[in-house]
Amino acid sequence: MKKATKVFFVSVLLLGILVGCLNKQSTTNEGAGGGGSQKTYKWIAHSPWPEGTALQLLAEEIAKDITEASGGRLQVEMHAAGEIVQPTELLDAVENGTVDAIHSWDGYWVGKIPQVALFASVPMGMNEQEYLGWITTDEGRELWQEAYDQAGYNLKILDSGPGTPEIFYHSNVPIRTLEDFKGLKVRAVGDWGAILERVGASVVSISSPELYQSLERGVVDAVEFSGPASNLPLGFHEIAKYLITPSIHQPSSVSSFIINQEKWDELPDDLKQIVRLATENMWGKGFAMVAKEDFEAMDEYRKLEEEGKIEIVKFEEESQKELKTIIDEYYEERAADDELFKRIWESQQDYLVEYKYWKDLMTPAH
């Protein structure tokens, strides 16, 4: 009897040790679906933005926030335009695994996925608050991912905040009316390029690292790139006297953080949540950061105008009304030819009807 009891207690002790070992091993080996893995990961990320611009600052801020919030378990190394691949090659690079993630603006990919133009920006379209509401609380996110899935890409799409209004153009000639666009060689991308062709402009597609030289050499008469804080350090004002406002072509925009699907799938759930929160946080943090830099840069442009070095030109209101009609017609035509484009466009318009009814009633006239 004593011997049996002794064997029993020894067996229980061994079982306890074995269960403890198994539990420890299970915790250590938790995979992508778990939330406690201490395995570390490193992503090579890339942007199309030149070093030193406000846009590159946003890309680097996301990389820093993910790295720090994860305690170094997910390290994101962000590269600027051209360091590994050229800006126009970034979508293919993240798809084939040359890089693990990209910070981008989807207007660059309309030749491959036409519908994503509506997420990048719409000329005289949604502002940053309207994009925020539609993407994060309505149908935007699901439709955005659907566009990439339908085009056959194996990528995870995350929204990463709005851009501030862009400078309309840096130009060698004043652009005050629609007539001034006729025959003018201008840099434009995506749908905005197609719209400008309707008003008689000669549209040239140029990647961001080549903009200054193209303007300097007369390849184009006018360039658009980004907001004041990104444009000022690139020096367009040194070779083009006229700065054209307001931001007709891009009153707001939305950045994307696009991840290779395999790299996304291998992350544990808690790291996925950190990436989601870091990118979503840029709706407030990123906009505020760049807006501050933008109005400070715009003050520098004001000083340059006072010194007689540049002239700030406002595109006339009557031409703005005419252009708005042309823009709406263009998108209605696009929607008629593409079922997914139509669903996205109509989803935006439906959201705007309700949003503007509320916003207009609640906003003071003065």
Side-chain angles (χ1 to χ4, degrees):
M1 183 70 176
K2 280 185 175 181
K3 185 175 181 182
T5 303
K6 190 173 183 181
V7 169
F8 172 77
F9 280 116
V10 169
S11 299
V12 169
L13 178 62
L14 290 174
L15 180 61
I17 293 171
L18 178 61
V19 169
C21 290
L22 288 174
N23 284 341
K24 183 177 181 181
Q25 183 178 11
S26 175
T27 301
T28 302
N29 292 339
E30 270 187 339
S37 171
Q38 294 305 304
K39 180 179 177 180
T40 60
Y41 305 83
K42 182 173 182 178
W43 284 357
I44 301 299
H46 213 301
S47 86
W49 320 124
E51 189 67 51
T53 62
L55 290 170
Q56 180 60 14
L57 172 66
L58 293 182
E60 292 171 355
E61 193 71 12
I62 290 173
K64 179 177 75 70
D65 285 353
I66 293 171
T67 301
E68 292 181 355
S70 68
R73 289 169 55 213
L74 174 54
Q75 300 170 29
V76 182
E77 181 181 292
M78 183 63 68
H79 292 264
E83 290 185 355
I84 299 175
V85 294
Q86 293 304 310
T88 55
E89 300 167 357
L90 283 177
L91 186 62
D92 290 337
V94 70
E95 170 75 3
N96 63 34
T98 302
V99 296
D100 304 314
I102 62 173
H103 183 265
S104 188
W105 176 71
D106 279 31
Y108 293 140
W109 318 129
V110 296
K112 300 174 183 289
I113 316 170
Q115 302 88 355
V116 297
L118 294 170
F119 297 94
S121 60
V122 174
M124 303 183 81
M126 281 182 158
N127 64 30
E128 67 279 354
Q129 290 183 337
E130 292 159 353
Y131 262 127
L132 166 64
W134 176 68
I135 287 174
T136 65
T137 70
D138 204 79
E139 298 179 305
R141 278 181 177 155
E142 292 74 17
L143 289 168
W144 202 345
Q145 184 67 57
E146 183 179 347
Y148 277 85
D149 294 346
Q150 182 174 289
Y153 285 90
N154 193 35
L155 299 168
K156 177 64 177 177
I157 314 302
L158 298 178
D159 49 278
S160 57
T164 51
E166 291 194 352
I167 290 173
F168 193 16
Y169 273 99
H170 292 272
S171 178
N172 287 319
V173 297
I175 305 173
R176 294 188 170 90
T177 71
L178 277 180
E179 286 293 317
D180 293 331
F181 274 112
K182 289 187 177 177
L184 203 65
K185 294 179 292 183
V186 297
R187 189 255 186 171
V189 296
D191 286 340
W192 175 238
I195 291 164
L196 277 187
E197 287 176 343
R198 294 192 174 198
V199 300
S202 176
V203 174
V204 183
S205 179
I206 305 169
S207 65
S208 52
E210 301 169 336
L211 288 174
Y212 187 96
Q213 288 185 338
S214 298
L215 185 59
E216 185 178 38
R217 295 174 180 175
V219 176
V220 288
D221 302 307
V223 298
E224 56 81 24
F225 175 60
S226 186
S230 288
N231 286 13
L232 185 64
L234 296 180
F236 301 132
H237 60 280
E238 300 167 356
I239 51 176
K241 180 178 180 179
Y242 302 99
L243 186 156
I244 317 301
T245 65
S247 185
I248 300 290
H249 66 306
Q250 201 161 304
S252 182
S253 60
V254 183
S255 296
S256 54
F257 193 73
I258 302 176
I259 306 159
N260 178 279
Q261 190 68 49
E262 292 182 6
K263 290 294 182 178
W264 176 256
D265 290 342
E266 74 180 15
L267 292 183
D269 289 344
D270 65 323
L271 289 184
K272 288 179 180 176
Q273 185 67 358
I274 286 172
V275 176
R276 287 192 187 98
L277 291 173
T279 52
E280 187 175 83
N281 188 44
M282 298 308 285
W283 281 101
K285 176 183 178 180
F287 183 83
M289 288 169 57
V290 178
K292 184 176 187 297
E293 294 205 4
D294 269 357
F295 63 68
E296 290 174 351
M298 204 67 218
D299 193 53
E300 293 300 314
Y301 283 127
R302 179 186 60 79
K303 293 174 184 176
L304 289 169
E305 184 178 41
E306 290 175 352
E307 295 168 4
K309 295 179 179 179
I310 66 169
E311 181 181 342
I312 299 175
V313 175
K314 185 173 181 180
F315 192 66
E316 69 167 25
E317 290 190 17
E318 191 58 39
S319 286
Q320 291 184 39
K321 292 178 183 177
E322 292 179 45
L323 188 52
K324 175 61 174 170
T325 299
I326 294 169
I327 289 168
D328 288 345
E329 289 174 351
Y330 171 82
Y331 282 105
E332 291 294 341
E333 291 173 16
R334 291 287 308 279
D337 295 333
D338 183 325
E339 188 271 335
L340 180 56
F341 194 101
K342 180 180 181 180
R343 283 200 287 124
I344 299 168
W345 174 250
E346 290 182 348
S347 177
Q348 286 185 345
Q349 303 314 302
D350 290 346
Y351 180 84
L352 285 173
V353 168
E354 294 188 14
Y355 178 91
K356 288 184 174 180
Y357 174 75
W358 161 75
K359 188 69 172 178
D360 290 346
L361 282 176
M362 299 300 169
T363 302
H366 301 285

